[in-house]
Amino acid sequence: MNLSIVGTGYVGLVTGTCLAAAGHRVACVDVRANIVEMINSGRPPIYEAGLELLLSQVIRDAMLTATTDLDSAVANSDVTMLCVGTPTVNSQTDLSQIQLASQSIGGALRKKTAYHVVVVKSTVLPGTTEDLVQPSIENACQRKLGEGWGLCMNPEFLREGQAVEDCRWPDRIVIGVSDDRAAEVMRQLYAGSHCPLVVTTPKTAEMIKYVANSLFATLISFSNEVGNLCASVPGVDAREVWRGVHLDRRLTPMRAEPGKPAEVVHYLWHGLGFGGSCFPKDVAALRGFGKRNGVATGLLDSVLTTNETQPLRMIDLLEKEMDVPNKKVAVLGLAFKPGTDDLRDSPAFPVIRALKKRGAKVVVHDPVAMPLARRHDELSGVDFASDWQDALKEADACCLVTSWSEYKAITPEHCLQFMRQPVILDGRGFFDPTSFTRAGVIWRGIGYTPIVPLPAVPKWD
Ligand SMILES: NC(=O)c1ccc[n+]([C@@H]2O[C@H](COP(=O)([O-])OP(=O)(O)OC[C@H]3O[C@@H](n4cnc5c(N)ncnc54)[C@H](O)[C@@H]3O)[C@@H](O)[C@H]2O)c1
Ligand SMILES: O=c1ccn([C@@H]2O[C@H](COP(=O)(O)OP(=O)(O)O[C@H]3O[C@H](CO)[C@@H](O)[C@H](O)[C@H]3O)[C@@H](O)[C@H]2O)c(=O)[nH]1
C-alpha cells in the first residue's frame, strides 16, 4: 500500500519506518526541512534504539522518502496518517497542529479522485476526529466524509526507548472507523499483524488511548506512594514488596510450563515519577476534559499531585545529608527514560531546578541527550560532563535520575575514588544499597531506607 505520514516526530518516523519495513511504500511529510533532509540521508533526527539501522535499510530499499511537499505525498498515496503533536497547555489540548494539517490534507484531497483514508494517529480527546478533523477536511476538499474518502482514529501505544519493537509487535491495534469501506482499508494495512484488532467508533478509540495512559500513570503514582511508605520503615525495600505483589497471577500471568518461574511484570516500579511527552500531558488533558463535562476526577488529580511532588523527595534525601548551598551535585541522566533522547517533562528538570534554587553547583551527564540538553533553556548555568567519571569528580553528591544501563558500571569504589563526599541519591532503585553501604558510600534511595549499621556478613568457612 502507498502511505503518507504527516508529522515525522517520534511517532511519525517510527511508524513510517516500521510500515516501510513491513512492505508499504511510505512518504514522510514534515514542515521542518532540516529533519526531512536528515531522514532522506538515513539519519534519524531523534535517538530511538534500533531506529537508525531500520531507517537506513528502508531508505536504501527506496521504501521510504521524506518530503515537505504534502500535496504530492497525499496525491500519491492511498492512506494518510496524521502524527502531528497535541501538547496540553493549562489542561487544554492545543489542537492547532491537527487543525492546520487536516486543512492541508483536505486541500490535497480536493485535487484527488481515487478513494483515500485519513487516519488520526495523534492522541486526541473524544470527539476531536469527528468534530475537528472531519469538518476541516470537508471544508478544504469540498466533499463530505464518505464521498471518496474515509476517516479512521488509530491511536498509537508505542513506548519511547522500545518504540521500534512496540510498533512492529503491538499488543493490539485499535481502529475507530467512519464506515465499512475505511475499515476494510485499515484491515488491509494491518493484514500482516499478529495481534487482536479492535474495531470501534472514533470516539471510543480516542477514549481507549487516554484511559490506557491514565491507568498506567495512576498505577505509577500508586507505586510511588507505596515506595514512600516503604522508605518510612528502615529495612523494607519497595522492590521486594513489588516483587511479592507482582507475582499475583492477576498481574503476572504464570507460565504454562510447570516448574518454570513466572516473569514478573516489569512495569509499575516506584521512582522519581513519570515524565515524557505522554503521561503528564494526557492525564492532565483527561482531567480537563472531565472538568469541562462536569465529571469529578479526584483520582486523576491525586495522580498528578503525587507525580509533581515525587522528584522533590530526592532533594529531601539530599538535605538530610548536607547543607546544599555551594555543594557540587552530579545529576546522572536527563532523558525521561533510558533508550531515548527525549527531554520532554523529564523528572530531571524539577530535580535540577530545586538544586539550583538551593545554590548547588550542578553538573549533568546523559549518554545520548547531551546535544539536546546543551540547547535547553532550563539547563543554562549547569556544567556538562563528558562522561559519568567526569561528572562524579569532586562531587559532594550524585543524583541518579535515569536508569541508563551504562551507569551500572559505577561501583562503590568509583564513588570513593572520584567524589569529594561519596553520597548517592538513587531515584530509580538502580544500585545495590547493601554493597554501596558496606563499602562506605552513603546510599539513599527512594523506596528504601537501609538499616544502618548493616547486619554483619555471615561467614561460611
Ligand atoms: N512520543 C510518543 O511516544 C507517543 C506515543 C504515542 C502517541 N503519541 C502521540 O502522537 C502525537 C505525535 O507525538 P510525537 O511525540 O511524535 O510529536 P513530535 O512533536 O515529536 O512530532 C510532531 C511532528 O509534526 C510536525 N508537524 C507539525 N505540524 C505539521 C504539519 N502541518 N505538516 C507536517 N508536519 C507537521 C512537527 O514538525 C514534528 O516533527 C501526539 O499526539 C502524541 O501525544 C506520542
Ligand atoms: O514502572 C514504571 C514505569 C514507567 N515509569 C515512568 O513513566 C514514564 C513513562 O514511561 P513509559 O510508559 O515506559 O514510556 P512512554 O514512552 O512515555 O510511553 C507511554 O506513553 C506513550 C505515549 O502516549 C504510550 O504510547 C505508551 O503506551 C505509554 O507507556 C517514564 O518517565 C518512566 O520512567 C515509572 O516511573 N515506573
Side-chain angles (χ1 to χ4, degrees), residues 115-119 129-130 134 138 144-154 175-184 186 199-203 205:
Y115 184 71
H116 198 95
V117 177
V118 178
V119 180
T129 300
E130 288 165 319
Q134 181 183 330
E138 285 178 336
K144 290 276 171 212
L145 177 63
E147 295 173 4
W149 69 281
L151 190 56
C152 175
M153 203 286 143
N154 171 213
I175 51 171
V177 282
S178 60
D179 53 41
D180 289 347
R181 192 170 178 192
E184 191 43 41
M186 295 307 288
V199 183
T200 182
T201 63
K203 282 193 186 76

Side-chain angles (χ1 to χ4, degrees), residues 11 123 156-162 166 172 209 212-213 216 220 223-224 266-282 307 336-338 345-347 428:
V11 168
T123 303
E156 178 52 60
F157 298 100
L158 63 79
R159 290 160 299 168
E160 290 181 24
Q162 294 111 302
D166 283 352
R172 79 302 209 179
K209 174 65 192 173
N213 274 4
F216 287 118
I220 293 168
S223 308
N224 284 329
H266 44 271
Y267 213 75
L268 313 184
W269 302 103
H270 60 282
L272 287 172
F274 54 80
S277 67
C278 293
F279 284 170
K281 94 167 165 65
D282 292 346
N307 200 53
F336 82 98
K337 63 182 283 196
D345 263 327
S346 169
R428 298 287 175 187

Side-chain angles (χ1 to χ4, degrees), residues 237-251:
D237 187 339
R239 288 173 296 185
E240 257 178 78
V241 171
W242 278 121
R243 191 174 146 72
V245 173
H246 279 156
L247 277 165
D248 189 309
R249 79 182 61 181
R250 286 167 294 185
L251 294 170

Side-chain angles (χ1 to χ4, degrees), residues 8-21:
T8 314
Y10 286 85
V11 168
L13 184 57
V14 172
T15 305
T17 305
C18 292
L19 287 170

Side-chain angles (χ1 to χ4, degrees), residues 10 47 160 276-278 334-337 339-346 349 368-369 372:
Y10 286 85
Y47 176 83
E160 290 181 24
S277 67
C278 293
L334 294 170
F336 82 98
K337 63 182 283 196
T340 176
D341 61 355
D342 200 341
L343 297 173
R344 290 179 285 185
D345 263 327
S346 169
F349 293 110
V368 303
L372 281 177

